Amino acid sequence: DIQMTQSPSSLSASVGDRVTITCRASQSISSYLNWYQQKPGKAPKLLIYAASSLQSGVPSRFSGSGSGTDFTLTISSLQPEDFATYYCQQSYSTPGFGPGTKVDIK
Amino acid sequence: EVQLVQSGAEVKKPGESLKISCKGSGYSFTSYWIGWVRQMPGKGLEWMGIIYPGDSDTRYSPSFQGQVTISADKSISTAYLQWSSLKASDTAMYYCAREGTGSGWPLVYGMDVWGQGTTVTVSS
């Protein structure tokens, strides 16, 4: 099994801040890495696929980078609607999610 | 509009069986994988397994292999998740989601369309 870790597990930020979330795989997954956003009581939403490709309809303030074992999700200027939990997911082998990073208001 | 509509909330007793559903519309149901994701109360997302309705190719997470069964009826564009004997620890929200890759493996495009979720409560 490929294990996924995320850091930090939570963070507090202000509107307009630049936010970076890190995801690490226990072995190389090439670029088979997706990012999701989940708000309370809602289904997850795909933000980034294949490590750096922006899903249609997702604001350009979201970006992804990385390959191999280390990946980042960056929100360039945090907006009120971005306060949520973010999950990475590898799809290189049997897919699995990271534990999540909760972004809340400072 | 591409959408997945899941069956309603369920309340069951330990030991009972259950089958929940996920109906796709607005796209070619047989051309995309459908996956299932568990979210226990207050916890993160867990990938359970996936089926390709076109040929019924089904793959499970080792954590869920033997615990659940995933199936699909392509004639009615519906995927299913079933349990033969529920436990209290199966209490969770269950989501189905379309994997945007199509028939290939590994999966490339992520889970791009999600159902609204089905709450399963197992309690004596």
Side-chain angles (χ1 to χ4, degrees):
Chain A
D1 268 19
I2 297 175
Q3 304 304 314
M4 306 300 293
T5 58
Q6 287 182 234
S7 60
S9 57
S10 65
L11 66 91
S12 296
S14 301
V15 172
D17 284 353
R18 182 181 182 87
V19 169
T20 299
I21 298 168
T22 297
C23 176
R24 176 165 287 171
S26 59
Q27 65 186 74
S28 177
I29 57 170
S30 185
S31 295
Y32 294 93
L33 192 284
N34 308 310
W35 289 98
Y36 300 84
Q37 175 194 67
Q38 188 181 32
K39 297 180 180 179
K42 300 293 188 183
K45 174 186 174 182
L46 178 65
L47 300 175
I48 302 285
Y49 64 92
S52 61
S53 295
L54 191 68
Q55 175 68 5
S56 175
V58 174
S60 59
R61 63 181 179 273
F62 291 93
S63 64
S65 64
S67 67
T69 60
D70 295 320
F71 302 87
T72 59
L73 173 71
T74 299
I75 310 171
S76 60
S77 178
L78 198 67
Q79 297 302 300
E81 60 268 31
D82 301 336
F83 292 98
T85 300
Y86 294 83
Y87 295 91
C88 62
Q89 179 211 21
Q90 66 82 14
S91 59
Y92 179 77
S93 63
T94 305
F97 291 95
T101 295
K102 185 175 181 181
V103 177
D104 61 23
I105 301 172
K106 187 182 242 182
Chain B
E1 179 193 6
V2 176
Q3 60 177 351
L4 298 172
V5 178
Q6 298 185 229
S7 49
E10 301 276 0
V11 179
K12 292 288 191 178
K13 290 181 166 40
E16 291 185 333
S17 62
L18 176 64
K19 192 173 189 178
I20 62 175
S21 67
C22 169
K23 183 173 176 62
S25 62
Y27 73 100
S28 175
F29 185 74
T30 55
S31 300
Y32 294 87
W33 298 85
I34 293 283
W36 288 92
V37 175
R38 183 174 80 174
Q39 188 165 40
M40 299 176 77
K43 302 299 184 183
L45 305 174
E46 299 175 271
W47 192 91
M48 301 176 70
I50 201 164
I51 187 165
Y52 188 74
D55 62 7
S56 296
D57 185 4
T58 307
R59 310 193 187 196
Y60 294 92
S61 162
S63 300
F64 292 94
Q65 180 84 48
Q67 308 304 307
V68 296
T69 300
I70 294 170
S71 60
D73 184 340
K74 58 188 179 183
S75 70
I76 54 171
S77 301
T78 301
Y80 301 97
L81 177 66
Q82 69 179 85
W83 296 258
S84 58
S85 180
L86 286 160
K87 311 180 199 55
S89 57
D90 293 317
T91 294
M93 175 73 83
Y94 292 88
Y95 294 102
C96 65
R98 187 184 80 163
E99 161 58 51
T101 297
S103 62
W105 194 276
L107 307 173
V108 176
Y109 295 112
M111 301 177 108
D112 62 348
V113 180
W114 290 71
Q116 82 277 20
T118 296
T119 300
V120 174
T121 303
V122 184
S123 174
S124 54

